[in-house]
Amino acid sequence: MPIKVIRDPKKKIQSHNNWVKSVAYSPDGQFLATASTDKTVKCFEDGKELFKVQHPDWVWHVCFSYTARRKRIATACLDGIVRILEATTGRVVKEITGHTGTVNCCAFAEEGETIVSVSYDHTAKIFNVGSGKLIHNIEYQCPVLSVAVSSTGTAFTGDTSGTIKEIDVKTGKVLGEWKAHRGHIEVLALSASGDFLASGGGTSASSC
């Protein structure tokens, strides 16, 4: 499946041999990571493949974290595991377990020290990246599909009921929730300033 590079709409990267489920730019805009149902995550620079990381099952999501200490990639996989990779080599440095269902999405928080993951097992979980230890477990009444985290430490999750929840990453407390879609919320994205949250749903509608 072709991946369209936004900064040059005429340029395509033909690399994966199945659906591309997620794409993410590194914070400096130099690298593009992709996750696919061909069970791989790939990283590109100017359209050139730098490395490929094989996974045991479909990969639903990929995201970056760049800090002064380290550069990392996280992947969310159908096997219920969040994998932490070195962003420069693709080496797997940590496998974080704890979910009992597919991990649909994940996002780094607290300058890359923690990661928030959401799953078909009706939970959002917050883990310490270094140790893999579970810090907080937030239970839902339905599968959770998407998550986005602000620079101030607030996580937003979207689930199959069309509800967005706002969560304090440090405490795991649900700060609020609201009905945003009639169907599934499959993607969430925060603006660079953190002032706006965009959501995309299974009803072919989006909101902001």
Side-chain angles (χ1 to χ4, degrees):
M1 174 175 288
I3 305 162
K4 294 186 178 180
V5 180
I6 302 301
R7 59 189 172 202
D8 182 356
K10 296 179 181 179
K11 185 176 182 180
K12 294 183 180 180
I13 304 171
Q14 186 77 43
S15 180
H16 290 285
N17 56 30
N18 212 326
W19 297 345
V20 176
K21 296 296 294 182
S22 175
V23 297
Y25 272 113
S26 60
D28 60 6
Q30 185 176 359
F31 304 107
L32 177 73
T34 59
S36 171
T37 56
D38 67 7
K39 303 180 183 181
T40 68
V41 165
K42 297 185 179 186
C43 189
F44 303 88
E45 182 179 17
D46 291 329
K48 180 182 177 181
E49 184 179 313
L50 300 178
F51 60 78
K52 176 178 72 174
V53 182
Q54 191 71 39
H55 285 59
D57 218 320
W58 291 4
V59 191
W60 290 123
H61 189 75
V62 63
C63 61
F64 279 92
S65 172
Y66 273 24
T67 68
R69 295 180 58 195
R70 59 179 67 93
K71 297 178 180 180
R72 294 286 192 251
I73 291 172
T75 66
C77 188
L78 189 69
D79 67 356
I81 296 175
V82 175
R83 290 173 175 82
I84 309 298
L85 320 176
E86 285 186 348
T88 53
T89 66
R91 183 175 71 92
V92 178
V93 296
K94 177 68 70 175
E95 291 189 345
I96 298 176
T97 60
H99 284 289
T100 57
T102 297
V103 181
N104 295 309
C105 191
C106 58
F108 285 102
E110 298 181 306
E111 297 188 342
E113 297 299 317
T114 57
I115 193 159
V116 185
S117 55
V118 297
S119 171
Y120 274 121
D121 67 7
H122 297 201
T123 69
K125 297 181 188 291
I126 302 170
F127 297 93
N128 178 278
V129 170
S131 67
K133 180 181 178 181
L134 177 65
I135 303 171
H136 299 295
N137 181 68
I138 302 97
E139 295 185 355
Y140 291 68
Q141 298 300 311
C142 58
V144 195
L145 303 181
S146 52
V147 61
V149 177
S150 74
S151 60
T152 58
T154 302
F156 298 89
T157 64
D159 60 36
T160 57
S161 75
T163 300
I164 293 175
K165 281 185 169 64
E166 181 181 0
I167 299 166
D168 185 305
V169 172
K170 188 167 290 293
T171 65
K173 182 180 178 181
V174 176
L175 303 175
E177 62 179 74
W178 64 94
K179 186 80 170 180
H181 290 266
R182 292 191 300 274
H184 300 178
I185 299 176
E186 298 178 357
V187 63
L188 292 170
L190 281 160
S191 63
S193 65
D195 294 329
F196 301 100
L197 176 72
S199 60
T203 56
S204 300
S206 60
S207 63
C208 187

